[in-house]
């Protein structure tokens, strides 16, 4: 009877750990990256920015993200995974607070850069931590737990979709600064749950073969190409879609509703749907499916005006966009030896970040030209289509057995 009780309680504790770790993506992507889309129209109006300048600020964030992603595994080894994860959230919170205390473009760019670096470390290390939550070897359960972790992004988008419009309404011209400050304070409150969760995750297996890791990474080349294109495609939409909707005549609270629906669709789909689907698909089929769903989600606001098109776009795009990191994290877990999960996810996130750095800048330049924001967002459609094609070339190959595991099998 006692054993049955322990077995029943175990999944619940696994999901609670994943939910605690989800504080990382709430701050890293929900607040630091995506909430900027809500703040951009007000900031652009008050600070007299072009769309290229607005995209450039997001590029500064993405450049920081590239460096943070590339150094995530190093920080994990240097400070420990749990400590790196929590410190990343703290620094991200301080960068959010700093963004609300200045209107200087250079200072804002620096805070966006620092925020990008810190959140990348948090997201990379957190993805590896979520992959290491004990499941007794059950692949489908592991995919579901990674999905819970990624659902933090949607939760963060929903929170931002309520907090930012409230700040813009209450403080008017200075509302964008209040929005950054409020998100910074909320980020600090999430440090507690994150710190609790990391204590429950076992340490990574020690490295046993660098050559095995390198060859496994080379076999994931199509996934790297997919992630660059996917990152550039989806983030161009996320950066400028609110500005497009405002140009189409939607007000502050209408666009806030759009953002809340998008975040809610993301959280629910990541929690309830994608974990199961990704757990069953092999190779590049899951990333390709994600790209197609996200591409379809971009089309309604480009083809039609009005609330119905906006809501359709929010539901479809929201349901798909965070399935991308879920799919690539699960793929890395399957194809890399355990000790290489953090570094593998880090390098994949670098690829993702390169796309996120380039996409908004090019989309911003296109948006400043004849054709406006819609012209920039058609770039998303093209890039997402190319990403789906690239992903289909990915084949799934299991990592070679660890030397230690082979020796133990031989002894038996």
């Amino acid at each position: 009877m006692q054993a049955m009780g322990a077995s029943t309680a175990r999944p619940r504790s696994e999901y609670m750990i994943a939910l605690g770790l989800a504080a990382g993506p709430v701050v890293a992507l929900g607040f630091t990256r995506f909430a900027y889309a809500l703040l951009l129209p007000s900031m652009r109006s008050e600070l007299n920015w072009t769309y290229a300048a607005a995209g450039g600020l997001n590029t500064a964030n993405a450049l920081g993200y590239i460096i943070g992603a590339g150094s995530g595994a190093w920080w994990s080894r240097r400070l420990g995974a749990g400590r790196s994860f929590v410190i990343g959230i703290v620094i991200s919170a301080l960068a959010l607070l700093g963004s609300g205390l200045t209107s200087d473009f250079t200072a804002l760019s620096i805070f966006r850069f620092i925020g990008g670096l810190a959140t990348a470390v948090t997201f990379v290390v957190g993805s590896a931590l979520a992959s290491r939550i004990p499941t007794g070897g059950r692949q489908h359960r592991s995919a579901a737990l990674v999905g819970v972790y990624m659902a933090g992004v949607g939760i963060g988008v929903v929170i931002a979709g309520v907090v930012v419009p409230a700040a813009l309404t209450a403080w008017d011209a200075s509302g964008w600064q209040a929005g950054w400050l409020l998100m910074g304070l909320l980020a600090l409150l999430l440090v507690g749950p994150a710190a609790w969760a990391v204590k429950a995750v076992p340490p990574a297996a020690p490295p046993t073969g660098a050559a095995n890791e390198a060859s496994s990474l080379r076999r994931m080349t199509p996934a790297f190409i997919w992630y660059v294109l996917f990152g550039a495609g989806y983030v161009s939409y996320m950066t400028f879609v609110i500005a497009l909707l405002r140009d189409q005549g939607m007000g502050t609270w209408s666009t806030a509703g759009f953002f809340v629906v998008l975040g809610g669709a993301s959280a629910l789909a990541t929690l309830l749907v994608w974990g199961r689907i990704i757990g069953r698909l092999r190779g590049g089929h899951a990333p390709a499916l994600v790209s197609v769903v996200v591409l379809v989600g971009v089309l309604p606001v480009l083809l039609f005006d009005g609330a119905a098109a906006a809501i359709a776009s929010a539901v479809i795009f929201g349901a798909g966009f965070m399935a991308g990191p879920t799919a690539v994290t699960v793929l890395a877990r399957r194809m890399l030896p355990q000790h290489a999960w953090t570094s593998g996810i880090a390098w994949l996130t670098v690829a993702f970040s390169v796309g996120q750095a380039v996409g908004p800048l090019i989309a911003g330049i296109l948006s400043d030209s004849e054709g406006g924001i819609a012209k920039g967002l058609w770039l998303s459609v093209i890039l997402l289509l190319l990403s789906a094609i690239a992903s289909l070339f990915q084949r799934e190959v299991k990592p070679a057995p660890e030397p230690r595991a082979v020796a133990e099998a031989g002894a038996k």
Side-chain angles (χ1 to χ4, degrees), residues 78 107 371:
R78 180 85 173 179

Side-chain angles (χ1 to χ4, degrees), residues 345-371:
I345 292 169
W347 283 115
L348 284 162
T349 306
V350 168
F352 191 45
S353 305
V354 168
Q356 291 185 98
V358 174
L361 187 58
I362 298 175
I365 293 170
L366 290 173
S367 297
D368 283 326
S369 65
E370 185 178 352

Side-chain angles (χ1 to χ4, degrees), residues 193-255:
W196 170 81
V198 298
K199 294 178 181 178
V201 180
T208 55
N212 186 20
E213 175 183 343
S215 62
S216 297
L217 283 172
R218 283 194 296 271
R219 289 196 295 266
M220 294 185 70
T221 297
F224 279 93
I225 296 171
W226 167 75
Y227 220 17
V228 172
L229 295 168
F230 180 78
Y234 101 93
V235 83
S236 298
Y237 172 95
M238 284 296 292
T239 301
F240 292 110
V241 67
I242 296 296
L244 175 68
L245 296 177
R246 294 296 292 270
D247 276 5
Q248 291 177 352
M250 294 181 67
T252 299
W253 283 104
S254 296
T255 53

Side-chain angles (χ1 to χ4, degrees), residues 30-382:
F31 292 173
T32 302
R33 173 162 289 276
F34 297 140
Y36 176 58
L38 282 171
L39 293 161
L40 186 150
S42 177
M43 294 178 73
R44 182 172 173 269
S45 175
E46 293 298 322
L47 303 176
N48 297 313
W49 290 350
T50 63
Y51 284 116
L57 200 66
N58 225 25
T59 295
N61 181 259
L63 290 173
Y65 208 87
I66 292 172
I67 296 173
S71 62
W74 183 85
W75 286 112
S76 182
R77 292 191 299 269
R78 180 85 173 179
L79 301 176
R83 187 176 298 174
S84 300
F85 180 73
V86 174
I87 290 175
I89 295 177
V90 172
I91 295 174
S92 301
L94 295 177
L96 289 167
L97 292 170
S99 298
L101 296 175
T102 181
S103 59
D104 179 73
F105 185 85
T106 301
L108 283 168
S109 297
I110 292 171
F111 282 124
R112 292 290 286 161
F113 175 85
I114 294 171
L117 193 156
T119 55
V121 173
T122 295
F123 189 69
V124 167
V125 176
S127 298
L129 288 169
S131 298
R132 294 209 307 264
I133 298 173
T135 62
R138 289 164 288 187
Q139 291 280 356
H140 293 170
R141 176 70 57 75
S142 178
L145 293 174
V146 172
V148 172
Y149 170 77
M150 296 296 177
V153 178
I155 294 169
V157 168
V158 170
I159 295 171
V162 174
V163 169
V164 171
L168 293 173
T169 301
W171 283 280
D172 197 22
S174 60
W176 65 268
Q177 292 178 299
W180 285 121
L181 292 171
L182 288 171
M183 287 188 292
L185 293 173
L186 289 171
L188 287 176
L189 292 177
L190 291 172
V191 173
W196 170 81
V198 298
K199 294 178 181 178
V201 180
T208 55
N212 186 20
E213 175 183 343
S215 62
S216 297
L217 283 172
R218 283 194 296 271
R219 289 196 295 266
M220 294 185 70
T221 297
F224 279 93
I225 296 171
W226 167 75
Y227 220 17
V228 172
L229 295 168
F230 180 78
Y234 101 93
V235 83
S236 298
Y237 172 95
M238 284 296 292
T239 301
F240 292 110
V241 67
I242 296 296
L244 175 68
L245 296 177
R246 294 296 292 270
D247 276 5
Q248 291 177 352
M250 294 181 67
T252 299
W253 283 104
S254 296
T255 53
F258 165 89
F259 215 66
V260 169
V261 170
L262 187 150
S266 173
L268 289 174
T270 309
L271 280 169
L272 303 177
V273 179
W274 283 109
R276 293 185 177 88
I277 293 174
I278 291 168
R280 288 168 171 77
L281 295 177
R282 290 294 179 265
H285 291 156
L289 176 61
V290 171
S291 290
V292 171
V293 171
V294 174
L295 185 158
V296 172
V298 176
L299 293 176
V301 293
L302 291 174
L303 299 177
F304 308 100
D305 291 353
I311 294 301
S313 182
V315 171
I316 300 170
F317 183 95
F321 81 104
M322 278 317 296
T326 305
V328 84
T329 299
V330 171
L331 187 63
R333 189 182 190 278
R334 289 171 175 168
M335 292 187 62
L336 299 176
Q338 190 191 54
H339 74 267
W341 287 352
T342 301
S343 59
I345 292 169
W347 283 115
L348 284 162
T349 306
V350 168
F352 191 45
S353 305
V354 168
Q356 291 185 98
V358 174
L361 187 58
I362 298 175
I365 293 170
L366 290 173
S367 297
D368 283 326
S369 65
E370 185 178 352
I373 305 172
K375 184 176 180 181
L377 287 185
W378 276 108
L379 176 68
S380 292
V381 175
I382 296 169

